[in-house]
Amino acid sequence: MITGSPCRRFPARKEFFLSLPGVMIAVAIYTFVHGTTRLIASNNLGEDDPLDNLLVQTLANGYTTEHGPLYNWLLWLLQQVMGHGPASFLVLKYSLLTGVAAFIFLITRRLTGSPWWAFIAVESLAAVYQTFWRLHEGFTHRVGTMFLIMATLWAAIQLAEHGRWRDTLLFSLLIGLGLLSEHWFIAFFIALLLAGSLQPQIRERLFSARLLACLPLTLLIAAPYLLWLSGEPQRLNELVATYRPDLASHSPAGMLAGARDALLLPILVLAPWIFIVPATFPGIWRGLWQAPSPADGGVNLLRWLRDMLLLQLFGLVLIKGLLFAHSNYAVHGLLPMFLPTVIWLTAKISESQPSPGRIKAFMIILLAFTATAYGMRAGNLFVQEPFCSRCRWGIPYAELANDIRARGFSDGLLITNSVQTGGNLRPYFPQARIEIAGQSTGSIPTGQSLAIVWTTNNGKLDGEKELQQLLTEYRITKQPDIKHFPWQHHWREPGYRDAAWGIVLAPPAATEFDTH
């Protein structure tokens, strides 16, 4: 354990914010400010929200082979109370973020023995672009995976140090939940086990008869998704195809690009914080990779964390870089796996015993990022240009919904060619079934109508061939009416920008209609 406090002691009322409840309250206030600002600015959904808003129209054991359904299940539960608008997404996202901060605090405090450094580790998220900006713009399943990885890491530490039955049960429970999140969790879990196996004391606890006895609990939790995956050969084939390398198509240049990205992206995913740390604390380079054994002969947590991160990096280079030759993928996909780097480096900063002046400068930088990021977010939400280009917060989905409702549609089947359009229309038509063209069931219940809403580009309908095929399937002879909707702004003149969709409605079906 690394001991020592980086700052002088504050009065007890201020030290409250250096406790777990205090940190959680501070993060909750931060998320409340961001969430409230977001709801005041726009009722539109975030970047990644529309797809999940469409998926959770039904509660299912699985939705896609790309990730598990746990986030969708939680969202479905929230929407039964909060409706289908952005509030449910924000409550879920920011609750999970508060949990992430709590586990970062707990683990860092355990490693350093200092609540001060634990607080600094949490505040460090303010200087990571993916958490101070991208998380607010999008992130659905990703923030859930972040939470489960941090919770599982904490549970693993408890199990390694204490080995109680309750620690084993909690660890098994979290593994099962992790299997219901993004598949990156599995990569993290393998690295966690391999790194732990390098220390006899940890190996004894992680590969024990107790943990094996709890395996049914893990499988029981993951069973709905595992059964869903195996329920149709197409799903298994899709999953296998995703993780089967196409060696025949590899080239030395492609493998080199894959290895390059596998080395660089884990660093870039934590930028700019990961560059600020060595610039502010140059002493961190001394003994950066060292992990001295604890004086009490206990578990070497710092070594375990270091080895886990190195194994993740090695696995990324070997498997994703060289075996699959993947490159140019989204950097934020790596955030859940490499988020523990914040804890490890914070512990190494503490170990280097920096001067109070450097710590103060670092905190000023972190607080400046917090304030600047909020200002930029507010500009993005309220001012829009030049803070954004697409400016999804200003797209007039509410006006589009009002127009569709005025044409006589309230429930039935609404088909669109755009996930963004469909997901953002769902809050306005809670009784309707909204489907994406090409994925539609084709069924219209008796007495319910059909609405087709189609995106446009430069005044022309997108995907004309697909649209005409859809109209033919539903025996609609009328062509969509292209309607322009002016953007609304808090102080600019209405219509400074506009959006257009093609809209056509079919009358209520006299009998149940099925195109299949």
Side-chain angles (χ1 to χ4, degrees), residues 443-454:
S443 177
I444 307 175
T446 302
Q448 295 189 347
S449 54
L450 166 69
I452 296 177
V453 182
W454 216 255

Side-chain angles (χ1 to χ4, degrees), residues 127-187:
V128 176
Y129 171 77
Q130 301 299 332
T131 49
F132 77 66
W133 187 269
R134 282 284 297 128
L135 182 139
H136 302 291
E137 286 278 303
F139 279 25
T140 50
H141 297 263
R142 190 130 300 144
V143 69
T145 308
M146 289 163 56
F147 171 83
L148 285 168
I149 282 180
M150 300 311 301
T152 304
L153 181 57
W154 167 247
I157 291 173
Q158 294 295 103
L159 176 60
E161 291 194 320
H162 306 292
R164 299 164 299 200
W165 265 109
R166 68 185 186 191
D167 301 321
T168 308
L169 286 170
L170 177 61
F171 188 56
S172 302
L173 171 70
L174 289 168
I175 295 168
L177 293 175
L179 294 175
L180 297 174
S181 66
E182 291 183 316
H183 301 323
W184 285 114
F185 179 89
I186 299 174

Side-chain angles (χ1 to χ4, degrees), residues 242-315:
T242 302
Y243 296 102
R244 182 175 56 207
D246 185 11
L247 298 176
S249 66
H250 286 8
S251 66
M255 295 173 69
L256 185 62
R260 176 204 63 204
D261 283 2
L263 284 170
L264 290 179
L265 295 188
I267 297 173
L268 295 180
V269 76
L270 297 173
W273 173 84
I274 201 165
F275 301 115
I276 296 171
V277 166
T280 311
F281 303 107
I284 198 175
W285 293 110
R286 297 191 301 270
L288 178 63
W289 301 107
Q290 295 177 4
S293 299
D296 59 5
V299 174
N300 192 329
L301 298 178
L302 202 58
R303 176 188 163 193
W304 190 11
L305 195 55
R306 179 203 66 187
D307 292 346
M308 184 193 75
L309 292 169
L310 287 174
L311 282 168
Q312 286 181 166
L313 184 63
F314 176 75

Side-chain angles (χ1 to χ4, degrees), residues 43-44 395-403 405 424-425 428 485:
N43 198 46
N44 293 355
I395 299 174
Y397 292 115
E399 289 76 9
L400 170 63
N402 290 336
D403 183 88
R405 192 178 293 110
N424 276 285
L425 285 178
Y428 302 100
F485 299 91

Side-chain angles (χ1 to χ4, degrees), residues 486-504:
W487 284 39
Q488 305 297 318
H489 197 273
H490 291 282
W491 61 81
R492 293 180 179 177
E493 289 293 327
Y496 77 102
R497 288 177 69 172
D498 73 4
W501 288 270
I503 307 167
V504 63

Side-chain angles (χ1 to χ4, degrees), residues 30-40 90 94:
Y30 166 84
T31 59
F32 177 79
V33 170
H34 272 274
T36 303
T37 304
R38 167 73 178 78
L39 290 173
I40 292 172
L90 293 172
Y94 288 140

Side-chain angles (χ1 to χ4, degrees), residues 39-50:
L39 290 173
I40 292 172
S42 173
N43 198 46
N44 293 355
L45 298 178
E47 180 180 354
D48 302 326
D49 299 340

